[in-house]
């Protein structure tokens, strides 16, 4: 979009949110069928405004899937509250769908790192023995903290107390460090690769 189209502004700031749409831009959150979602539900962010680019250079397929008439499909998931503030939930390809409901890995990670024993955490999806998708957390503990079943159950209960029950990680794996890019971004695709290899 080449422009800030949702923003907090002086005198109207809600911490933890991206803010509200900027004048001149329209924003909608839609489900997988392209229908609007209710406040409080996660939806795909669509934007309409004067600064939209025309197309992706030499990439017709990407252009067709992103630019839908005057609307741009951003590839981001957001939630809007009843007051009209938008909160980022994650990239569409990072979102987890558990029991038919979207779960933001960032939300689960944020809950985990509130625990005093946790240094870092990353969350992905994992299929259980019945091919049902559940959340799995990779956790780096602070030095000296035990990597035990008791610690795992403690962290699960900690998240359950802070988030909806279906969001807590059904399994936790303790590791020495998370895979990251040179800029410090967690490489969830590598965690998914580890999970796939573990099944072989």
């Amino acid at each position: 979009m080449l422009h800030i189209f949702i923003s907090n502004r002086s005198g109207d700031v809600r911490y933890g949110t991206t803010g509200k749409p900027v004048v001149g831009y329209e924003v909608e959150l839609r489900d997988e069928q392209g229908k609007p979602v209710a406040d409080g539900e996660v939806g795909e962010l669509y934007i309409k405004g004067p600064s939209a680019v025309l197309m992706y250079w030499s990439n017709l397929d990407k252009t067709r899937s992103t630019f839908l008439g005057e609307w741009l499909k951003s590839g981001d998931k957001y939630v809007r509250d009843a007051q009209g503030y938008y909160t980022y939930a994650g990239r569409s390809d990072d979102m987890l769908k558990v029991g038919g409901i979207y779960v933001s890995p960032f939300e689960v990670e944020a809950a985990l790192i509130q625990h005093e024993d946790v240094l870092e955490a990353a969350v992905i999806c994992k299929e259980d023995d019945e091919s049902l998708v559940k959340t799995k957390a990779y956790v780096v503990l602070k030095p000296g903290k035990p990597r035990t079943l008791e610690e795992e159950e403690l962290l699960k209960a900690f998240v359950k107390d802070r988030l909806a029950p279906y969001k807590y990680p059904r399994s936790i794996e303790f590791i020495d460090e998370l895979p990251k890019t040179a800029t410090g971004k967690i490489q969830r695709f590598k965690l998914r690769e580890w999970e796939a290899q573990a099944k072989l």
Side-chain angles (χ1 to χ4, degrees):
M1 290 297 292
L2 306 176
H3 191 271
I4 297 170
F5 46 86
I6 301 177
S7 181
N8 281 290
R9 58 208 74 184
S10 180
D12 187 14
V13 174
R14 177 160 297 184
Y15 294 104
T17 76
T18 306
K20 293 181 177 179
V22 172
V23 174
Y25 290 83
E26 294 180 50
V27 173
E28 288 185 2
L29 298 182
R30 303 180 188 175
D31 63 18
E32 291 176 344
Q33 288 72 46
K35 297 178 181 177
V37 301
D39 288 346
E41 293 183 13
V42 175
E44 182 97 29
L45 181 70
Y46 286 73
I47 313 118
K48 181 166 69 172
S51 63
V53 299
L54 298 176
M55 67 186 76
Y56 284 95
W57 181 257
S58 297
N59 193 337
L60 183 58
D61 290 339
K62 182 69 172 171
T63 297
R64 285 177 170 166
S65 65
T66 303
F67 301 96
L68 309 173
E70 294 181 277
W71 290 93
L72 180 144
K73 184 178 179 182
S74 70
D76 292 316
K77 297 287 188 185
Y78 266 81
V79 177
R80 189 181 77 171
D81 66 20
Q83 290 73 45
Y85 293 91
Y86 288 77
T87 300
Y88 180 68
R91 288 292 297 170
S92 296
D93 51 5
D94 279 335
M95 293 295 290
L96 317 175
K97 203 162 192 183
V98 179
I101 305 172
Y102 278 114
V103 176
S104 168
F106 303 108
E107 186 180 13
V108 183
E109 291 160 7
L112 278 165
I113 63 173
Q114 289 177 40
H115 194 279
E116 61 183 2
D117 292 352
V118 176
L119 181 64
E120 293 182 304
V123 174
I124 62 168
C125 64
K126 174 186 178 181
E127 286 190 357
D128 65 15
D129 295 337
E130 298 175 350
S131 297
L132 298 174
V133 174
K134 308 292 184 183
T135 50
K136 175 178 180 177
Y138 285 86
V139 172
V140 179
L141 294 172
K142 292 180 181 176
K145 299 302 178 182
R147 297 183 180 190
T148 62
L149 182 60
E150 290 78 13
E151 182 76 5
E152 180 180 346
E153 294 304 317
L154 181 72
L155 294 179
K156 288 179 184 178
F158 185 81
V159 175
K160 276 186 189 178
D161 286 343
R162 284 156 178 76
L163 302 178
Y166 65 90
K167 296 181 180 181
Y168 85 94
R170 299 310 196 279
S171 61
I172 295 175
E173 184 173 332
F174 299 116
I175 58 176
D176 292 329
E177 61 181 345
L178 296 173
K180 296 178 183 176
T181 65
T183 58
K185 184 178 179 181
I186 295 171
Q187 295 175 310
R188 285 186 184 78
F189 75 92
K190 287 193 175 180
L191 298 177
R192 290 191 285 266
E193 287 175 358
W194 293 356
E195 198 60 44
Q197 289 170 3
K199 287 183 177 181
L200 301 177

